[in-house]
Amino acid sequence: MFERARAIRRIKSAEPYADAEVKAALAPFSPSVLVEIARSREAWLVRRAAVRALDGRVDDGVAGALLEISLDAREVTELRCAALDVLARAGRTESVPALRRLRAEIDAMQSPPYGLGDAVVSACARLGDIEAAVAALRLRYDAWTHRRHTGEAAVQALQERVGTLGLARAFGAADASAEELGGLSRRHPEAVVRRWAIDVAPADAPWLTETLGDEEWVVAEGAEAAILRGGPAVGESLRALAREAGAAPEVRARAILALLRRGQEEEARSLWSAFEDGRIELIGVPDAIRRAVLHHYLPGQRGTDPRWVLEGELDLGIDLHTERYAGPDEAPEQILAAARQALEQAGFTSGKATPIGFIRQQGDGTYCHLETSAGVLEISELGRFVATEEDLPARARESLKQAGFLFVEGALAADFFDGLNVYFFGRREPLSIYNLLFYWQD
C-alpha cells in the first residue's frame, strides 16, 4: 500500500503528458504495483500513466492484466487503448484471439467508443494478425492525419511480420510479383488493397497508368504518386492516355497533371490547351467567382477533380505550394474600404466590421459583418462579393453594384463547385458558392 501511494505521488508530481518523464519516475516500482494502480479507483490519467509505464516490463502476469483491461467494456476507453498499445509493443501474440473477438464486438456496435476500434485494429496488425490487414489499410489511407499515422505504423509492423508476399497472398494473389500486384490493383474489391498493391509495386510496372482511371480517389491518388517514380516508359503511357479521346475527362486530366509533376511543363500545357473537355462548366457563374474560389481553395482536399488543379496552375498561374489567405486581386481591407465608400456615396453610413469568427465566438472564416444604416452586410475577403439577409434599399444595392460588388444570392448562392472538395465541419465535399465565399469553420 505504501509503495502504491508513493508511485501515485510520483505520477501526480510529473508532467501528465510527458510519457518519458512519468515512465522514468515509475521505473523503481515493480510491475505489480503499477498493475495495482491501473486497476484502482484513481483518476484515469493516473491509471493510464501506470499502464504506459509497464512498457517493456510485460511478463505473463502483466500481459494477462493488460488484456483484462483491454476487454473490459466498463473501463475508460483511454485506459483500454493504452493497454492495447503496451500489449502490442510487447509482442504478446497470444492476445490475438481475444482481440479478434473484441474487434467483432466493436464492429457490431452502432456507436462504439471513440478510438477503441482503431486501437484494436492497430494492436492486432502489429501482433501479426493477417485478418486485420484490410482494416489496417483503411486506417493507413484515411483522410484524417492521426488515423493515417496509426495505420501506417500498423501496416508497416504487419508487413515486417508476414512480408509483402504474405499480405499479397492474404489478398488473393499467387505471389508478390509485379504481374500479380497489377491484378490486385485493378480487380480487388477493396479500394485500399488496390492502393496498397500500387504502393508496393515496382516503379516501372507497365500497368500503373491504367490505375489512374480508378473511380476511388484513394487508388487514383496512389497511382499519381507512383507514376512520379516511373521511368521513360511510364511517360509514354501518360502521353497516350492524355490524348485518348475515349478516356474520361478526369482520367485524361490526371495523366496531364502527372506529366506536369514529372517536369514536362511545356508538353502538359500543350495537351491542356488542346483538351476540349478540360474546363469544368459552371453555367451562370461569373469568372470573378470562379477565379476567387480556385485561388483560395486549390489544390483542394483529397479527391478534388484534377481539372480544377490544372486550370488553377496552368490557366490562372496559381502557386499551389503557398498558403493564400486573401483573394487574387485585393486585400480584405481594400474590399471593405470600397464597400464603405460605395455606401457613403449612396447616403448611408457604415460602422463596425466584425470578422465572422468573433460573431460566432470561435473559429475563423472568409468574411465579416459590416453594420450599416442600410442593414447588416456580409462582405467577403476573397473579392467584391456581398450577401445580406436584409431588405436592402435599392440605392444601396445599386451603389455597391456600381463599385463592382456582386450580390451572392438566390440560385447563384446555391450553386456548387462540383469536383472541388473543401474541408467543412468534418466533411470533404464540394460546397455551395455562398459557403465558399462566405466560409466559416469552428
Side-chain angles (χ1 to χ4, degrees), residues 249-263:
E250 62 270 26
V251 177
R252 293 180 65 184
R254 285 193 191 112
I256 296 172
L257 186 59
L259 284 170
L260 182 63
R261 297 289 180 261
R262 283 167 62 91

Side-chain angles (χ1 to χ4, degrees), residues 383-437:
R384 296 198 179 192
F385 311 115
V386 60
T388 182
E389 296 181 358
E390 309 266 350
D391 186 13
L392 210 64
R395 69 180 189 277
R397 291 179 68 94
E398 185 58 31
S399 185
L400 285 165
K401 288 180 180 179
Q402 289 294 323
F405 281 87
L406 177 65
F407 279 82
V408 179
E409 54 196 0
L412 177 63
D415 206 352
F416 278 72
F417 264 67
D418 291 334
L420 177 61
N421 291 345
V422 175
Y423 181 82
F424 194 60
F425 292 94
R427 304 171 74 90
R428 294 167 175 81
E429 298 174 348
L431 295 182
S432 68
I433 287 175
Y434 174 82
N435 281 327
L436 289 166
L437 296 176

Side-chain angles (χ1 to χ4, degrees), residues 49-73:
V51 167
R52 289 177 170 175
L54 287 166
D55 187 22
R57 306 169 72 186
V58 181
D59 58 19
D60 290 349
V62 171
L66 291 172
L67 184 59
E68 286 180 10
I69 292 171
S70 302
L71 301 176
D72 189 351

Side-chain angles (χ1 to χ4, degrees), residues 367-381:
Y367 68 106
C368 67
H369 279 201
L370 177 62
E371 298 175 6
T372 80
S373 59
V376 177
L377 304 179
E378 295 174 352
I379 307 295
S380 177
E381 296 178 351

